[in-house]
Amino acid sequence: MTVFPDAPFAAVDRIDVGDVTLAVIRHEQIRIDDLRDAFDTGYAALGALFADGTLTPVGPAVAVYYGNPMEVFDLELGFPVERAPEHPLTTDAGVTILGSALPTGPATATTVMGSYDGLGAGWMRLVEETLGQGLSIRGMSIEVYVSDPDVPADELRTDLILPIAS
């Protein structure tokens, strides 16, 4: 199963995350309270580079969390792109865009339908199910924002992906 399926994931699916090239904004040592500003600034900067043709998106927005999002963590916000930047790109707003990739390898996945407020409960279920299967979590997590954030809250689809040890 692919990391970007057309249909939502089941309660817990096993997938293999392949090579997915990204253009991202990297945030180091941030807290959950910093997310709204990071998302708003980051996705606006990427949108400007899509609009002027500098980058070409080939999939939905993603966020890759490194570490525990309930503490201090690192974050990459971005999109799968046709070609990742070879060198850092700095926008007029002073935001730096870097080339990156999704962490590859086995993972568990689920889909949360509805408001972003439901993501915490979705993550708890996915982590509990993953650990309940005797699998080891690699210390990172991926959110894929399948729907446009402007759709009604009950129509939002977010795929949650939890990389696991081989």
Side-chain angles (χ1 to χ4, degrees), residues 67-124:
N68 183 348
M70 301 315 295
E71 298 173 2
V72 175
F73 58 95
D74 294 343
L75 173 70
E76 288 185 348
L77 299 171
F79 282 85
V81 290
E82 214 170 68
R83 280 194 332 259
E86 292 180 26
H87 305 286
L89 302 171
T90 303
T91 68
D92 293 340
V95 176
T96 301
I97 313 293
L98 305 168
S100 188
L102 286 180
T104 60
T108 55
T110 193
T111 295
V112 173
M113 297 300 296
S115 168
Y116 297 134
D117 293 339
L119 295 181
W123 277 117
M124 284 181 52

Side-chain angles (χ1 to χ4, degrees), residues 5 16 21 24-25 43 54 57 59 61 67 77 79 81 84 88 94 99 103 111 118 122 124 126 147-148:
D16 189 53
T21 302
V24 302
I25 296 99
Y43 288 127
T54 302
L77 299 171
F79 282 85
V81 290
T111 295
M124 284 181 52
L126 182 58
S147 352
D148 187 292

Side-chain angles (χ1 to χ4, degrees), residues 6-156:
D6 290 332
F9 289 111
V12 177
D13 280 329
R14 293 284 296 272
I15 65 169
D16 189 53
V17 180
D19 289 329
V20 177
T21 302
L22 304 173
V24 302
I25 296 99
R26 181 140 177 98
H27 298 273
E28 296 182 354
Q29 301 295 293
I30 69 169
R31 295 188 171 277
I32 204 160
D33 292 342
D34 302 320
L35 287 180
R36 181 176 301 278
D37 184 51
F39 276 61
D40 290 347
T41 302
Y43 288 127
L46 285 160
L49 293 177
F50 297 153
D52 74 10
T54 302
L55 295 171
T56 304
V58 294
V62 299
V64 183
Y65 298 81
Y66 295 92
N68 183 348
M70 301 315 295
E71 298 173 2
V72 175
F73 58 95
D74 294 343
L75 173 70
E76 288 185 348
L77 299 171
F79 282 85
V81 290
E82 214 170 68
R83 280 194 332 259
E86 292 180 26
H87 305 286
L89 302 171
T90 303
T91 68
D92 293 340
V95 176
T96 301
I97 313 293
L98 305 168
S100 188
L102 286 180
T104 60
T108 55
T110 193
T111 295
V112 173
M113 297 300 296
S115 168
Y116 297 134
D117 293 339
L119 295 181
W123 277 117
M124 284 181 52
R125 283 189 307 276
L126 182 58
V127 168
E128 287 173 0
E129 289 287 330
T130 300
L131 293 175
Q133 293 178 22
L135 302 170
S136 297
I137 298 169
R138 291 176 42 197
M140 62 193 77
S141 53
I142 304 164
E143 292 179 347
V144 179
Y145 308 105
V146 179
S147 352
D148 187 292
D150 296 329
V151 303
D154 62 336
E155 295 177 22
L156 288 171

